[in-house]
Amino acid sequence: MSENTPASGTHAAARPPREGRSNGQWKVDGTEPLNENEQWKQQDGGLSVRDRIEQVYSKEGFDSIDETDLHGRFRWWGLYTQRKPGIDGGRTAQLEAHELEDKYFMLRVRIDSGQLTTEQLRVIAGISRDFGRDTADVTDRQNFQLHWIEVENVPEIWKRLEAVGLETTEACGDVPRIILGSPVAGIAADELIDATPIIRDIVKKYIGDPELANLPRKFKSAITGHPSQDVVHEINDLAFVAVEHPEYGVGFDLWVGGGLSTAPRLAERLGVWVSPDRVADVWYGICSLFRDYGFRRMRNKARLKFLLADWGPEKFRQILETEYLDAPLPDGPSIPMAKGIGDHIGVHKQKDGKFYIGVTPVVGRVSGTILGQLADLLEKYGSTRLRTTAHQKLVLLDIEEKDVEAIIAELDEIGLAARPSDFRRATIACTGIEYCKLAIVDTKNTATKAVHTLEKALADVKLERPISLHINGCPNSCARIQIADIGLKGQLLPDGNGGMEPGFQVHLGGGLASKDREEAGLGRTVRGLKVTAANLDSYVERVVRRYDEDAAEGETFAEWAHRAEEEALQ
């Protein structure tokens, strides 16, 4: 590996802050705010802005919005200003937020555990068409994101969502974000435990609780009872993964401290077994521990992964058990190797004899029109339930065996594939420069073009397993570039004529634990290995063909990428 290659094992560069000065840990240093964000969060918490949105801003318009509300508290209700059209990536780091942003919002609809009814889906579709210019993306955290939302329409949007049991509460901000759950919870014949009641209990008790609404940074959590380990547990701040204890039965293995962005770190086991009836208390305990001990002095060191890097798992467990739980947790076994594929694409039998069908749009891009058509199609075949996944996919439930082929054909007509090509299945992309103020390059359109081109260009190559392609518009890794077979981080590259053009730094051989990989690991970077957006398709084709030609029998792309000579990866 080259000298600038990140470690391919469990951990990377999430270093704790330096000693000798206050880190802003409430239980250690006191609660005096050490930066502007901490000041306004203490002065007036993020949850408070809802009343102002409903009573003032929606009536007086965008220009009436207080700056701190606009760039801070609005996030507590799932609202970010979106990027003004026409601003190229070279100006992303040069302009202030007010210069980059348009007078429209991205709205994130929170869907804990990804569970939806067709009634709820139809409401989201209607909001998209009525207020969002028919935009909609399914994200890799089981949410839906809409764009072009005006503040004048937000109260009506909330009214419609909440009438069917949906919300945007704490969909963004320094709060407990959506809780990922298995898309096949309660229906899969091979699940160990249905975690749905646990997730619902946590959401009911703690989401919107002011006591947890001022965390050092965002807090991502996940709970799965399925043996495919389908909630990307290694990159969450907190995750519970079902495991069977030889003495106590089925419960959960506890993982903490995962996260990617510019300082990627994979979560670690605490070595405990959590009984189902204690999961909510442990979740609350760790969230509270993060609130009290998390580093608040610098926002780029404020995620839970930095605290874990400082303390280590042993101390973390000790503090959790002695200060935040009413009894210690028993030691527990590690989870076995994952079974199956966690995106749940294709046709699968439910435990009640019906079938569920996992389908994929192209890189998560749908629309209000497509979502409305999907709701109609499901109800036509007698189903009222579906799920979102942590892979920008959808899972449709309760399909009769006799209807499977007919519904698959109709799904294809609206752009949702149950039998996609390998590249359509395994490619994800973040929002990108189209809407995101942090982005440097286009992602959704670039990724869509790549999928369609690679489907044809590599049609003669028969791979044993899909090669994941993740495309991100900036270094923050919303599309999880460090854990993809081929991960692409957006940046500007010299065009050879004195200017710059969109391109990507390449990461190779990353991945989470799966049926083909015992442990998660971060991707490899090679000095100088970058590719322009214009040459992306040809680069991926070239490196996939080299893998196909050079790999040993049964060798995965990730294994090959980590052992290959640098020349083979160019």
Side-chain angles (χ1 to χ4, degrees):
M1 291 190 289
S2 66
E3 65 184 40
N4 63 336
T5 303
S8 61
T10 304
H11 312 302
R15 298 175 182 173
R18 288 180 291 174
E19 297 181 359
R21 53 178 163 174
S22 169
N23 289 321
Q25 296 173 280
W26 281 1
K27 271 202 169 185
V28 177
D29 306 308
T31 59
E32 180 182 354
L34 299 180
N35 58 55
E36 185 178 350
N37 280 278
E38 290 300 312
Q39 289 173 2
W40 66 252
K41 285 194 295 179
Q42 285 197 32
Q43 290 168 359
D44 187 15
L47 294 174
S48 68
V49 79
R50 174 159 179 162
D51 184 64
R52 290 192 289 279
I53 292 173
E54 292 178 321
Q55 302 302 323
V56 181
Y57 303 144
S58 64
K59 297 175 181 178
E60 298 183 10
F62 185 92
D63 291 337
S64 70
I65 303 172
D66 171 80
E67 183 177 349
T68 304
D69 284 348
L70 182 65
H71 299 128
R73 299 182 185 94
F74 267 49
R75 299 176 184 182
W76 271 240
W77 293 96
L79 291 159
Y80 281 96
T81 51
Q82 70 185 41
R83 188 187 191 94
K84 189 179 297 181
I87 300 177
D88 65 63
R91 302 180 68 193
T92 296
Q94 299 174 358
L95 301 179
E96 299 294 331
H98 70 275
E99 297 174 296
L100 281 167
E101 68 193 4
D102 211 341
K103 294 184 178 182
Y104 297 93
F105 295 89
M106 178 275 286
L107 176 70
R108 184 175 295 159
V109 181
R110 181 180 184 126
I111 308 170
D112 291 277
S113 72
Q115 300 195 14
L116 283 168
T117 66
T118 49
E119 179 188 28
Q120 291 171 326
L121 186 67
R122 193 171 280 111
V123 166
I124 295 171
I127 293 169
S128 168
R129 292 192 301 266
D130 293 346
F131 306 116
R133 301 189 187 181
D134 206 28
T135 59
D137 290 325
V138 56
T139 77
D140 58 10
R141 288 202 60 83
Q142 295 186 294
N143 301 299
F144 275 110
Q145 290 185 173
L146 311 179
H147 298 279
W148 300 107
I149 301 300
E150 295 176 288
V151 71
E152 290 87 347
N153 296 319
V154 170
E156 173 62 21
I157 291 170
W158 282 336
K159 179 180 177 182
R160 293 189 191 186
L161 289 173
E162 291 166 3
V164 293
L166 294 174
E167 61 184 343
T168 69
T169 313
E170 297 184 337
C172 315
D174 299 348
V175 293
R177 305 282 185 93
I178 179 177
I179 303 172
L180 297 184
S182 172
V184 294
I187 62 165
D190 57 344
E191 77 174 346
L192 294 172
I193 186 172
D194 179 6
T196 301
I198 297 170
I199 294 175
R200 287 177 176 168
D201 184 40
I202 293 171
V203 171
K204 183 179 179 180
K205 287 180 178 177
Y206 302 123
I207 301 308
D209 180 354
E211 291 297 314
L212 298 178
N214 179 2
L215 303 179
R217 282 294 300 273
K218 56 190 172 184
F219 182 78
K220 297 181 177 181
S221 55
I223 306 173
T224 184
H226 195 265
S228 67
Q229 300 164 15
D230 47 8
V231 293
V232 294
H233 62 276
E234 302 100 324
I235 59 170
N236 278 270
D237 295 281
L238 166 63
F240 300 85
V241 184
V243 66
E244 186 165 5
H245 193 287
E247 180 179 355
Y248 304 126
V250 175
F252 295 90
D253 193 20
L254 179 60
W255 295 65
V256 296
L260 295 178
S261 192
T262 56
R265 193 178 203 278
L266 298 175
E268 295 188 61
R269 297 182 60 242
L270 286 194
V272 300
W273 180 86
V274 184
S275 62
D277 63 327
R278 295 193 70 185
V279 170
D281 289 341
V282 173
W283 183 96
Y284 177 74
I286 293 176
C287 192
S288 301
L289 182 156
F290 177 45
R291 176 197 62 205
D292 298 341
Y293 284 106
F295 302 134
R296 293 176 181 261
R297 184 176 65 84
M298 297 174 60
R299 285 185 64 76
N300 63 353
K301 299 289 186 182
R303 290 289 299 274
L304 184 65
K305 62 187 176 183
F306 296 99
L307 180 63
L308 184 70
D310 186 32
W311 282 2
E314 184 176 346
K315 179 177 178 179
F316 192 101
R317 176 179 176 179
Q318 177 190 0
I319 297 296
L320 172 66
E321 291 181 328
T322 57
E323 297 186 24
Y324 293 91
L325 300 180
D326 57 7
L329 296 165
D331 293 342
S334 61
I335 53 178
M337 195 165 181
K339 299 178 182 178
I341 301 177
D343 64 5
H344 301 293
I345 291 296
V347 180
H348 309 268
K349 196 169 187 177
Q350 298 179 182
K351 60 185 178 183
D352 63 1
K354 295 181 180 180
F355 287 79
Y356 64 90
I357 304 175
V359 301
T360 178
V362 180
V363 294
R365 176 55 52 87
V366 285
S367 67
T369 297
I370 289 173
L371 297 181
Q373 291 172 330
L374 178 58
D376 292 341
L377 182 57
L378 280 169
E379 291 179 358
K380 173 183 174 181
Y381 287 97
S383 172
T384 60
R385 297 195 297 166
L386 70 155
R387 307 276 170 84
T388 54
T389 81
H391 302 277
Q392 297 183 339
K393 311 292 189 285
L394 297 163
V395 178
L396 319 179
L397 311 187
D398 306 329
I399 308 300
E400 298 287 351
E401 184 174 12
K402 64 181 177 61
D403 295 327
V404 166
E405 294 304 321
I407 196 171
I408 286 175
E410 293 193 46
L411 286 164
D412 279 333
E413 292 178 5
I414 63 172
L416 299 173
R419 298 183 179 116
S421 69
D422 284 347
F423 278 101
R424 179 166 175 172
R425 178 174 187 168
T427 300
I428 69 173
C430 73
T431 300
I433 201 170
E434 184 177 9
Y435 299 117
C436 178
K437 300 191 298 294
L438 301 178
I440 302 167
V441 301
D442 172 82
T443 54
K444 291 290 189 184
N445 296 319
T446 300
T448 298
K449 175 180 175 292
V451 167
H452 293 321
T453 300
L454 293 168
E455 285 175 334
K456 297 175 182 177
L458 291 169
D460 61 314
V461 177
K462 305 303 179 185
L463 301 171
E464 292 185 20
R465 56 189 67 80
I467 293 174
S468 57
L469 175 63
H470 294 190
I471 302 178
N472 210 77
C474 77
N476 288 323
S477 201
C478 294
R480 311 196 295 243
I481 53 174
Q482 299 99 332
I483 55 168
D485 286 314
I486 304 174
L488 301 172
K489 179 176 72 177
Q491 56 186 223
L492 296 179
L493 302 176
D495 65 3
N497 297 310
M500 306 295 285
E501 63 178 317
F504 302 92
Q505 182 188 47
V506 181
H507 297 246
L508 295 166
L512 299 179
S514 69
K515 68 181 186 67
D516 299 312
R517 182 173 187 144
E518 189 169 352
E519 292 185 355
L522 302 176
R524 170 187 184 182
T525 59
V526 175
R527 184 183 299 277
L529 180 51
K530 299 176 182 181
V531 59
T532 65
N535 293 324
L536 169 60
D537 308 344
S538 59
Y539 170 75
V540 174
E541 179 185 358
R542 185 166 65 250
V543 76
V544 169
R545 287 191 181 278
R546 285 177 181 165
Y547 159 67
D548 187 50
E549 294 167 0
D550 297 346
E553 183 176 355
E555 187 175 31
T556 67
F557 182 89
E559 290 168 339
W560 172 80
H562 277 287
R563 70 147 176 96
E565 296 294 329
E566 292 186 2
E567 290 75 15
L569 304 176
Q570 298 293 332

